[in-house]
């Protein structure tokens, strides 16, 4: 037959309450640490993902334009060479 022991019941309640309190403190500490890191990182000179993607697209467009201009210049140089005008005949 099981006897009721108030000491063990109180001890179990105390430990259960302490575990809940410790878990809550852990969650609160984690949230506080995340907020501090977010504030610290926000103060640094990092760019956002949107800004990075915009500059990346601008660089790709500039690269494409430079390639098109290079091809156009090569075509003009080829036409100039075919016309018999050498590099020494060009004004500086």
């Amino acid at each position: 037959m099981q006897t009721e022991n108030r000491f063990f019941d109180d001890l179990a309640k105390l430990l259960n309450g302490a575990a809940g309190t410790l878990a809550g403190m852990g969650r609160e500490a984690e949230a506080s640490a995340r907020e501090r890191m977010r504030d610290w990182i926000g103060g640094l000179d990092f760019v956002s993902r949107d800004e990075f993607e915009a500059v990346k697209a601008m660089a790709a467009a500039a690269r494409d334009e430079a390639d098109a201009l290079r091809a156009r210049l090569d075509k003009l140089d080829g036409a100039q060479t075919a016309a018999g005008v050498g590099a020494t005949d060009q004004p500086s």
Side-chain angles (χ1 to χ4, degrees), residues 10-91:
D10 289 343
L11 182 62
K13 287 179 184 177
L14 177 71
L15 291 177
N16 193 17
T21 301
L22 287 176
M25 287 173 53
R27 285 190 300 270
E28 188 173 326
E30 182 181 354
S32 176
R34 283 181 195 254
E35 186 63 31
R36 285 185 185 158
M37 286 299 286
R38 190 174 295 123
D39 289 344
W40 181 74
I41 289 174
L44 298 177
D45 289 335
F46 287 119
V47 297
S48 69
R49 181 55 130 176
D50 294 336
E51 291 172 338
F52 175 79
E53 292 297 331
V55 171
K56 185 177 173 182
M58 288 171 40
R63 196 170 32 250
D64 292 343
E65 184 179 355
D67 290 342
L69 290 173
R70 188 174 297 116
R72 183 176 173 198
L73 183 61
D74 290 343
K75 183 179 175 183
L76 290 173
D77 284 344
Q80 188 177 19
T81 304
V85 178
T88 57
D89 296 338
Q90 291 181 349

Side-chain angles (χ1 to χ4, degrees), residues 1-20:
M1 178 171 201
Q2 192 174 23
T3 61
E4 293 184 18
N5 192 341
R6 186 141 173 89
F7 173 75
F8 289 122
D9 287 341
D10 289 343
L11 182 62
K13 287 179 184 177
L14 177 71
L15 291 177
N16 193 17

